[in-house]
């Protein structure tokens, strides 16, 4: 298992994602007069952590991994759920500090939805480029959230934590991404 985690660069990705979140937290704690981080910062911090962790969704030799006599779907699902747990534990731990990333429902919704979208992209275009679409979509949605119902579907990442359309989109992306990635794995590099 240790070799599997090292081959996927998990220790480096964990250090980078947690370190980046800690840096953003420290800057907000130091430079802001508000205790609660603004929605834009919360969404972008979630996306940064997800983008860094997306590098672990494929091994350097995908063909070797596919030929192994192991049942991969449950391992991929656990891997994705562990990445979700890392993002949630780190960001929800800030609820107890002087600089909070929240509300908790927003962190859970955006973490699950963005990680699901990233996993779906990994299954379609490969892990190396899996973060492109989620990052671009999250940046635009967080900067320009739309208040209408259809706008809430399109800019779900930047919606308030009480938005039902945003929760619906995040749930669909999370489940679809988890199932697709678990069953197919990352797309092969050609």
């Amino acid at each position: 298992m240790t070799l599997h985690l090292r081959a996927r660069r998990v220790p480096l990705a964990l250090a980078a994602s947690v370190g980046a979140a800690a840096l953003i937290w420290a800057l907000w704690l130091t430079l802001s007069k508000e205790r609660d981080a603004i929605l834009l910062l919360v969404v972008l911090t979630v996306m940064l952590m997800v983008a860094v962790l997306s590098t672990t969704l494929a091994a350097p030799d995908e063909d070797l991994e596919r030929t192994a006599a192991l049942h991969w779907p449950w391992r991929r699902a656990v891997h994705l759920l562990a990445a979700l747990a890392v993002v949630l534990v780190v960001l929800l731990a800030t609820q107890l500090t002087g600089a909070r990333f929240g509300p908790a429902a927003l962190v859970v919704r955006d973490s699950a939805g963005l990680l699901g979208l990233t996993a779906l992209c990994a299954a379609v275009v490969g892990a190396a480029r899996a973060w492109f679409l989620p990052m671009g979509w999250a940046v635009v949605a967080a900067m320009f959230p739309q208040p209408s119902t259809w706008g809430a579907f399109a800019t779900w990442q930047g919606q308030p934590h009480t938005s039902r359309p945003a929760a619906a989109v995040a749930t669909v992306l999370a489940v679809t991404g988890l199932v697709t990635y678990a069953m197919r794995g990352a797309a092969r590099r050609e």
Side-chain angles (χ1 to χ4, degrees), residues 30-189:
T30 306
L31 302 175
S32 177
K33 294 178 182 158
E34 298 292 323
R35 182 173 182 205
D36 294 326
I38 59 173
L39 184 115
L40 175 66
L41 187 64
V42 174
V43 173
L44 294 182
T45 304
V46 168
M47 188 59 240
L48 176 64
M49 291 185 76
V50 167
V52 171
L53 292 171
S54 74
T55 62
T56 68
L57 296 179
D61 190 352
E62 294 149 4
D63 290 330
L64 178 63
E65 192 172 275
R66 290 181 196 285
T67 61
L70 298 171
H71 193 63
W72 281 103
W74 73 268
R75 284 179 172 81
R76 291 185 195 116
V78 168
H79 185 99
L80 207 56
L81 293 173
L84 177 63
V86 167
V87 175
L88 293 178
V89 166
V90 169
L91 294 181
L92 294 178
T94 65
Q95 299 294 313
L96 307 172
T97 67
R100 295 188 305 196
F101 285 80
L106 173 75
V107 173
V108 171
R109 180 195 74 201
D110 282 6
S111 299
L114 286 169
L115 196 55
L117 178 59
T118 303
L120 187 59
C121 288
V124 174
V125 298
R129 293 179 292 274
W131 60 274
F132 291 2
L133 175 64
M135 179 70 82
W137 192 1
V139 168
V140 171
M143 292 178 67
F144 307 107
Q146 301 298 310
S148 69
T149 302
W150 290 110
F153 280 115
T155 60
W156 62 273
Q157 305 95 322
Q159 297 299 315
H161 67 283
T162 56
S163 172
R164 287 183 183 225
V169 172
T171 301
V172 167
L173 288 173
V175 171
T176 304
L178 175 67
V179 170
T180 304
Y181 174 74
M183 299 311 284
R184 290 194 57 203
R188 293 179 184 205
R189 286 179 272 176

